[in-house]
């Protein structure tokens, strides 16, 4: 139980295009989802906290107009990287928090974004 | 911002040896967790230790927590080549008990 999926696992896009990444909790409802980015050989940096039905809360230094987050249901959150540039190339990981008996974050497998 | 630092940044040991990784953090916490990440993959939860606990075991893993020093250690005993991965500690954030702040990580290489 408590599985989180991400789609796509890898994406390559041209500079200036937008890319959408999906994060789904497959067998539980997630009241909160988190988005992280990770550069090579570095740690995970929290980008934003996403609550179902409300606006995401962004960490300091993260552009909300650049990284659009939509948490439309208790099992799905999406991250859209708008007008992507090569410096946005990174590994994006989501996690889902179930609450109650599932009192921890469950992580997705990550999405490797490469912007040419 | 990152909560804390881990040391060493990289560790190379022979199979069968023990590996010890240390994590320091800056603020008071409710709990501290250790995660493992294989290259290019997601995170695997290893163990959670609460602020009122000093030591916890899970299989070949032993975690200690010293809240007075704001530090934790992860010991992997009898290491295997399959233990090769990056290991991260994570603490709950000051403004949210279920928001995680990750340490800088230790890259462990276990040579066969």
């Amino acid at each position: 139980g408590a599985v989180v999926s991400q789609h796509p696992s890898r994406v390559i896009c041209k500079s200036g295009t937008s890319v959408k990444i999906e994060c789904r909790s497959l067998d539980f409802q997630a009241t909160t989802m988190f988005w992280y980015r990770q550069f090579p050989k570095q740690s995970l940096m929290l980008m934003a906290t996403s609550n179902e039905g409300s606006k995401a809360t962004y960490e300091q230094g993260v552009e909300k107009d650049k990284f659009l987050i939509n948490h439309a249901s208790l099992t799905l959150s999406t991250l859209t990287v708008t007008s992507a540039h090569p410096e946005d190339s990174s590994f994006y990981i989501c996690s889902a928090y179930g609450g109650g008996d599932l009192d921890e974050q469950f992580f997705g497998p990550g999405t490797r974004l490469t912007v040419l | 911002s990152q909560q804390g630092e881990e040391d060493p940044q990289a560790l190379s040991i022979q199979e069968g040896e023990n590996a010890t990784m240390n994590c320091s953090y800056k603020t008071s916490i409710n709990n501290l967790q250790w995660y493992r990440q294989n290259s290019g993959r997601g995170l695997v939860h290893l163990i959670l230790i609460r602020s009122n606990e000093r030591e916890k075991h899970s299989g070949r893993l032993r975690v200690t927590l010293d809240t007075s020093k704001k530090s934790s250690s992860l010991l992997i005993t009898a290491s295997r080549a399959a233990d090769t991965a990056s290991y991260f500690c994570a603490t709950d954030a000051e403004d949210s008990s279920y928001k995680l702040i990750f340490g800088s990580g230790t890259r462990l290489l276990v040579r066969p």
Side-chain angles (χ1 to χ4, degrees), chain A residues 35-106:
Chain A
W35 287 96
Y36 300 83
R37 69 186 296 182
Q38 184 181 31
F39 291 109
K41 296 186 178 180
Q42 294 189 24
S43 186
L44 281 75
M45 299 298 291
L46 180 64
M47 298 174 67
T49 302
S50 165
N51 291 297
E52 186 264 338
S54 63
K55 290 183 179 180
T57 303
Y58 291 81
E59 294 299 301
Q60 193 173 7
V62 178
E63 299 175 59
K64 62 180 181 181
D65 295 330
K66 172 77 172 175
F67 299 100
L68 300 179
I69 292 172
N70 183 25
H71 195 154
S73 76
L74 286 172
T75 59
L76 173 64
S77 176
T78 61
L79 167 69
T80 301
V81 183
T82 62
S83 187
H85 291 284
E87 57 265 30
D88 298 322
S89 297
S90 188
F91 193 55
Y92 292 88
I93 302 176
C94 74
S95 69
Y97 174 75
D101 291 341
L102 297 176
D103 188 21
E104 66 176 271
Q105 288 187 36
F106 298 94

